[in-house]
């Protein structure tokens, strides 16, 4: 139960961080860059093998003398999931009508007000989808969490791994079923919220 609590805290916090930073990154890339290099760098964490990303993040935390624990896992998962959010929001931005933002600015709205009142509502379905995808990815992420946590803090996938080493028990089957159920609920929630956002 403690591991499940840690997992839900990490997944929720990482999803919020990844959604906010991924959305802002996508908007910045769409507005202020023309080449594909920055875009490729932004979505690189999604392409890199989990092991390579985990070792890189662990090296960074060690270099910064950052204490490993729940916060380091949240930050690591946010970096990983942010790339997926950025890719989803960038795809949606390609379909957004830029004349609406121009009209907002012509009518005297500040850039921040235009972003909040015009751009974000148009990106609603992509932001929701990206956030729930980030939550789902963080929920069952093992490799990055294993490398960036401390021995005293464990997430549910790490706990399941430590239990599986001694054989598959009914508890492991129950935990796997629970993780599957949470993932299915997140996917169904994504589809439902996306339909609602599209209809608004």
């Amino acid at each position: 139960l403690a591991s499940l609590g840690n997992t839900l805290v990490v997944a929720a916090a990482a999803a919020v961080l990844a959604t906010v930073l991924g959305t802002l990154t996508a908007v910045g890339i769409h507005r202020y860059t023309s080449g594909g290099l920055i875009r490729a760098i932004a979505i690189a964490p999604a392409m890199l093998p989990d092991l390579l990303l985990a070792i890189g993040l662990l090296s960074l935390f060690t270099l910064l003398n950052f204490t490993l624990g729940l916060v380091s896992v949240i930050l690591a998962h946010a970096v990983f999931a942010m790339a997926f959010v950025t890719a989803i929001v960038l795809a949606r931005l390609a379909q957004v009508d830029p004349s609406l933002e121009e009209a907002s600015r012509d009518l005297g709205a500040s850039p921040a007000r235009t972003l909040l009142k015009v751009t974000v509502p148009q990106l609603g379905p992509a932001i929701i989808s990206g956030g729930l995808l980030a939550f789902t990815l963080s929920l069952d992420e093992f490799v990055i969490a294993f490398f960036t946590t401390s021995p005293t803090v464990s997430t549910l996938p790490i706990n399941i791994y430590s239990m599986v080493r001694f054989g598959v028990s009914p508890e492991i089957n129950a935990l796997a079923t629970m993780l599957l159920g949470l993932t299915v609920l997140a996917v169904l929630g994504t589809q439902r919220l996306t339909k609602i956002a599209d209809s608004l």
Side-chain angles (χ1 to χ4, degrees), residues 80-99:
F80 169 68
M82 190 179 90
F84 291 92
V85 177
T86 301
I88 292 170
V89 175
L90 275 172
R92 180 74 177 188
L93 277 166
Q95 303 170 358
V96 169
D97 185 3
S99 63

Side-chain angles (χ1 to χ4, degrees), residues 46-83:
M47 307 284 196
L48 292 173
D50 286 355
L51 183 61
L52 182 61
L53 184 61
I55 292 170
L57 288 167
L58 176 60
S59 300
L60 177 64
F61 290 143
T62 303
L63 182 67
L64 297 175
N65 205 19
F66 194 89
T67 304
L68 297 181
L70 213 57
V71 176
S72 61
V73 178
I74 290 170
L75 293 175
H77 279 196
V79 168
F80 169 68
M82 190 179 90

Side-chain angles (χ1 to χ4, degrees), residues 25 29 33 35-48 83 86-87 90:
T25 301
I29 289 171
T33 63
L37 179 61
I38 302 295
R39 186 179 301 239
I41 292 171
I43 63 173
M47 307 284 196
L48 292 173
T86 301
L90 275 172

Side-chain angles (χ1 to χ4, degrees), residues 7-167:
T7 299
L8 292 175
V9 168
V10 167
V16 170
L17 270 175
T19 303
V20 172
L21 296 176
T23 300
L24 293 175
T25 301
V27 171
I29 289 171
H30 183 74
R31 285 186 179 174
Y32 304 112
T33 63
S34 55
L37 179 61
I38 302 295
R39 186 179 301 239
I41 292 171
I43 63 173
M47 307 284 196
L48 292 173
D50 286 355
L51 183 61
L52 182 61
L53 184 61
I55 292 170
L57 288 167
L58 176 60
S59 300
L60 177 64
F61 290 143
T62 303
L63 182 67
L64 297 175
N65 205 19
F66 194 89
T67 304
L68 297 181
L70 213 57
V71 176
S72 61
V73 178
I74 290 170
L75 293 175
H77 279 196
V79 168
F80 169 68
M82 190 179 90
F84 291 92
V85 177
T86 301
I88 292 170
V89 175
L90 275 172
R92 180 74 177 188
L93 277 166
Q95 303 170 358
V96 169
D97 185 3
S99 63
L100 295 175
E101 292 183 356
E102 292 172 9
S104 173
R105 288 193 295 269
D106 287 343
L107 292 171
S110 66
R113 188 172 177 83
T114 299
L115 177 68
L116 291 175
K117 297 290 186 179
V118 179
T119 308
V120 170
Q122 292 183 89
L123 299 177
I127 293 172
I128 292 168
S129 297
L132 286 173
L133 178 61
F135 179 84
T136 305
L137 289 170
S138 176
L139 200 63
D140 64 351
E141 168 51 47
F142 168 74
V143 176
I144 294 174
F146 186 78
F147 273 78
T148 57
T149 192
S150 66
T152 57
V153 177
S154 109
T155 60
L156 193 56
I158 293 173
N159 202 17
I160 290 173
Y161 169 73
S162 64
M163 292 168 68
V164 165
R165 293 165 63 190
F166 304 104

